[in-house]
Amino acid sequence: MRRLFSFTLAVLLLSPCLHAQQKDEKAVADKVEQLRKALIDPDRATLEKLTAPQLSYGHSTGLLQDQAAFIEALVSGSSDFVTITLSDQTISVVGNTAVVRHKLNGTNNDGGKPGVVKIAIMLVYVKQHNDWKLLARQAVKI
């Protein structure tokens, strides 16, 4: 009887935590999808809203950009995604930090030169003022 009571109490105490984590995972997944769309159809205000000012954006080529350079490359068209498909996505939330991993397949037209993109990505989101912001991204070639 004591074990059953202890188990029931533990379940009741952990349920709000599990629900909050699932809610955060869903919110982060929504931000990832918003970013995917913004990479294809870039808008400065949207990209600024989705990213933290301290953004560190690493490309599979080794190029590293801050928030301003990342946004400028997209809105100027020097970095031009045509299509993006994400797969094998996982999201892990710990406190106010989330780590997202996925594979990105797509096409681009950087500098007017068509290309194919196949990379694995790790994104780090941080919750700032009750909103998830992209803090870091690193891509590697598959």
Side-chain angles (χ1 to χ4, degrees), residues 84-106:
I84 296 175
T85 303
L86 304 177
S87 62
D88 301 328
Q89 183 163 282
T90 62
I91 299 172
S92 176
V93 176
V94 180
N96 69 341
T97 305
V99 176
V100 179
R101 293 179 184 272
H102 56 231
K103 292 180 182 155
L104 183 152
N105 289 304

Side-chain angles (χ1 to χ4, degrees), residues 34-113:
Q34 290 172 32
L35 178 64
R36 185 192 71 79
K37 290 177 179 178
L39 291 171
I40 295 169
D41 189 17
D43 169 81
R44 185 177 304 276
T46 301
L47 291 165
E48 286 174 351
K49 185 177 178 188
L50 291 172
T51 59
Q54 307 86 352
L55 178 66
S56 175
Y57 194 90
H59 293 265
S60 61
T61 61
L63 176 66
L64 187 60
Q65 295 174 314
D66 63 10
Q67 184 193 42
F70 161 70
I71 293 172
E72 185 56 35
L74 287 167
V75 298
S76 72
S78 66
S79 180
D80 182 14
F81 282 100
V82 178
T83 64
I84 296 175
T85 303
L86 304 177
S87 62
D88 301 328
Q89 183 163 282
T90 62
I91 299 172
S92 176
V93 176
V94 180
N96 69 341
T97 305
V99 176
V100 179
R101 293 179 184 272
H102 56 231
K103 292 180 182 155
L104 183 152
N105 289 304
T107 56
N108 62 4
N109 197 22
D110 293 355
K113 186 176 172 183

